[in-house]
Amino acid sequence: MSPPNLLSASPLLHVSSSEVAEIYYGTQLGFTLAWQYRPHAPAADPGYLGFERDGVRLHVSSFSGDGVAGGVASFEVRDVDALYEEFKARGVAFELPPHDQSWGNREMYLRDADGNSIRFIQPG
């Protein structure tokens, strides 16, 4: 049997402002800005940003061809309640605080300024 060929995935969310996204995902959600591409710097937009947290990647883009706002990124986590407390201390608004789902997971949902749903899922 050959080894798996797929190694990772990086969700891509469309945002209207890469500056607003940098603050939200970096300052409020604790992701680190790993790299950025802003071809018209010092103008922030259009911009394509790569974030990381705990070895997990997330990309956001304000380029018009990179999707539409209102997407979803789901992250499997060990302790959704610990993230809830961390985010609450940073003033993050919650669409759904930690909740035990009927299918066995404990889940928490957030929305960024562009309506993208960020879901943190602790498997049941």
Side-chain angles (χ1 to χ4, degrees):
M1 188 163 137
S2 62
N5 200 22
L6 298 178
L7 302 177
S8 68
S10 300
L12 170 62
L13 298 174
H14 183 77
V15 295
S16 57
S17 168
S18 63
E19 284 182 307
V20 171
E22 188 173 353
I23 292 166
Y24 183 74
Y25 291 99
T27 304
Q28 291 193 281
L29 300 190
F31 282 81
T32 299
L33 180 63
W35 52 266
Q36 58 186 310
Y37 172 63
R38 290 181 163 129
H40 305 297
D45 293 300
Y48 194 107
L49 311 177
F51 293 97
E52 292 183 3
R53 179 173 172 154
D54 300 329
V56 175
R57 292 179 286 193
L58 171 68
H59 295 181
V60 300
S61 175
S62 62
F63 282 88
S64 63
D66 287 341
V68 295
V72 177
S74 296
F75 298 93
E76 188 173 306
V77 302
R78 290 188 202 288
D79 187 347
V80 75
D81 293 290
L83 279 177
Y84 173 75
E85 293 300 327
E86 176 187 332
F87 295 163
K88 189 169 88 171
R90 291 185 182 144
V92 172
F94 300 91
E95 181 177 41
L96 176 71
H99 179 79
D100 292 325
Q101 301 287 14
S102 61
W103 49 89
N105 294 337
R106 186 155 175 80
E107 302 184 2
M108 170 177 69
Y109 302 164
L110 318 173
R111 284 215 185 263
D112 70 9
D114 292 289
N116 294 304
S117 179
I118 315 304
R119 300 176 181 183
F120 296 94
I121 301 167
Q122 181 178 326

